[in-house]
Amino acid sequence: MAHLTRYFMYERIKKCLKQNNYVPMEGKILGISGIENFYPLISRSAELLDTQYPELDMQNLPYEDNSFNFVISDQVIEHLEDPKRAICESYRVLKEGGIAIHTTCFMNYIHPSPKDFWRLSPEALRYLCKDFSEILSCEGVGNRVAILLCFLSDRFRLMDIPDTKWSVRHLIATYNEERYPIVTWVVAKK
């Protein structure tokens, strides 16, 4: 179950992938940090390489060109000195027609892991992915109530969100004010 700041993001990414017939995800998949919320979208026959940042340097991926059908980085690029290089590396290791999914935070407190460099808007992610053939989704999600709760306590940030649509937690997690994104993401096709 995803928490307050990411619940709706994962739902929107899942919807995008389903609309473009990428669910279940097949083939060879590179996952970089915390991709558990993507597991339900991945075929059991897929070859998943589940890695962790900072052990894996996304700015210098140790894989050959055209190796993967999907590259997923979940909340990594804000921690990298050179997010453009990381996006270029994901592009390099993707097969033609492969899909990159990169999520990051926008309105968030500083959280070194080991460092915290950037906050990327949807426009910034779109710019970083300009060499991809198509942007399937590039969005942000958040609202002032969720931001307030998150800054009051990590307890609120990490609370589980039920799928029940009438739940107050569900309503807060899915209410979106475009000017107040907590998280942002891009789904791009090579």
Side-chain angles (χ1 to χ4, degrees):
M1 193 178 284
H3 55 74
L4 177 64
T5 61
R6 299 185 192 173
Y7 177 86
F8 196 46
M9 175 184 72
Y10 294 128
E11 290 297 311
R12 297 287 299 157
I13 292 170
K14 178 170 53 173
K15 181 178 179 183
C16 169
L17 293 172
K18 283 184 175 181
Q19 286 175 336
N20 288 282
N21 298 314
Y22 293 116
V23 174
M25 293 182 192
E26 302 277 356
K28 195 169 179 183
I29 302 169
L30 173 61
I32 306 168
S33 288
I35 67 157
E36 295 83 15
N37 287 295
F38 292 94
Y39 289 168
L41 307 177
I42 298 172
S43 168
R44 290 183 183 202
S45 63
E47 183 183 338
L48 176 60
L49 180 57
D50 198 350
T51 65
Q52 297 298 314
Y53 168 80
E55 290 79 22
L56 178 71
D57 181 3
M58 192 175 161
Q59 301 160 110
N60 298 291
L61 292 173
Y63 309 110
E64 292 185 24
D65 297 358
N66 308 305
S67 297
F68 296 94
N69 300 91
F70 293 87
V71 173
I72 305 166
S73 73
D74 199 6
Q75 306 296 310
V76 175
I77 59 177
E78 71 267 21
H79 300 289
L80 304 174
E81 290 180 13
D82 191 348
K84 176 63 175 170
R85 182 177 173 115
I87 298 294
C88 289
E89 278 291 278
S90 73
Y91 182 91
R92 180 186 65 78
V93 301
L94 276 173
K95 295 178 181 179
E96 196 63 37
I99 301 296
I101 303 168
H102 300 294
T103 75
T104 187
C105 62
F106 188 73
M107 290 190 193
N108 202 354
Y109 58 86
I110 293 175
H111 57 290
S113 287
K115 296 180 180 181
D116 188 356
F117 290 105
W118 306 102
R119 295 298 178 263
L120 300 164
S121 68
E123 291 80 11
L125 290 172
R126 187 176 296 281
Y127 175 78
L128 291 174
C129 293
K130 67 182 178 179
D131 293 332
F132 283 76
S133 70
E134 185 179 0
I135 304 294
L136 302 175
S137 174
C138 188
E139 302 178 61
V141 66
N143 61 70
R144 288 173 279 188
V145 173
I147 291 168
L148 176 63
L149 290 172
C150 291
F151 282 108
L152 286 174
S153 171
D154 267 350
R155 189 173 138 238
F156 292 118
R157 175 184 299 279
L158 300 174
M159 68 181 172
D160 287 334
I161 305 301
D163 290 326
T164 310
K165 294 191 183 338
W166 51 264
S167 161
V168 171
R169 288 182 289 162
H170 187 275
L171 291 171
I172 294 170
T174 58
Y175 176 63
N176 190 30
E177 293 179 282
E178 288 185 19
R179 293 183 57 210
Y180 299 95
I182 296 173
V183 291
T184 59
W185 68 91
V186 64
V187 179
K189 181 177 181 180
K190 180 174 179 178

